[in-house]
Amino acid sequence: MNLLRSLSFVGLSATALLASAAGADLAFRVTVDTSALIGSPVGPFSVDFQFNSGDTLANNTATIGNFSFGAGGSVSGSPILLGGATGSLAGTVSLTDSTAFNEFYQTFTAGSSLGFDVFLTTQVDSGLVSDLFLFTLLDQDFVPVTTTEAGGTDALLLIEIVSAN
């Protein structure tokens, strides 16, 4: 189901966020226009972050914070934490690739936008399988919201930590 053709990535920008998180190798702000979700019959929606380990366990972390929900939006519910996930949308979310599958999700009331800062360490795994960081929005049945933005995947953002060589 392609529910939200108008859900769009408003901005993804690498900025001078590195100074804010000790040890971060990659830092950026994500802003998504979530106005198409307001009043949708398949809500409430959840923010879903996954940080899946490759061949090397516990060599990377993702720290996500400075959440904003735009006009009419807010955090709701309690977080569901799996593996190396801690935190809440009311503060800071941390994920360590301490197990093969690490996930955080929490419901929110959709507003005009959803924004957050991401800080990632980027230690490349020694084997064939890389660490993956993903951001997805889920509907009330915890099914990923399909968009036209993601090039065939349900993730709005997918970062694979690989060597530049």
Side-chain angles (χ1 to χ4, degrees):
M1 163 174 76
N2 192 348
L3 169 71
L4 302 170
R5 292 188 190 277
S6 61
L7 184 67
S8 62
F9 233 161
V10 173
L12 171 62
S13 59
T15 63
L17 297 175
L18 287 175
S20 300
D25 299 316
L26 178 63
F28 52 91
R29 175 98 183 144
V30 173
T31 303
V32 178
D33 178 349
T34 55
S35 59
L37 300 177
I38 298 171
S40 172
V42 297
F45 296 92
S46 295
V47 171
D48 179 39
F49 296 112
Q50 295 178 34
F51 199 30
N52 300 328
S53 185
D55 293 322
T56 307
L57 290 178
N59 66 328
N60 283 304
T61 59
T63 304
I64 308 111
N66 195 23
F67 291 95
S68 60
F69 295 92
S74 63
V75 63
S76 62
S78 298
I80 304 298
L81 308 168
L82 303 169
T86 62
S88 165
L89 294 178
T92 301
V93 173
S94 296
L95 293 116
T96 301
D97 65 339
S98 59
T99 66
F101 187 72
N102 308 280
E103 185 172 17
F104 166 97
Y105 57 96
Q106 185 172 357
T107 57
F108 73 103
T109 301
S112 59
S113 64
L114 169 66
F116 51 88
D117 296 334
V118 177
F119 303 93
L120 290 174
T121 61
T122 58
Q123 301 301 312
V124 176
D125 284 356
S126 58
L128 298 174
V129 180
S130 304
D131 291 355
L132 292 174
F133 174 79
L134 299 97
F135 158 60
T136 308
L137 293 177
L138 305 174
D139 69 14
Q140 66 186 354
D141 296 322
F142 301 105
V143 174
V145 173
T146 304
T147 71
T148 57
E149 299 286 324
T153 179
D154 292 325
L156 289 171
L157 175 66
L158 185 148
I159 297 173
E160 182 178 10
I161 300 173
V162 295
S163 173
N165 296 328

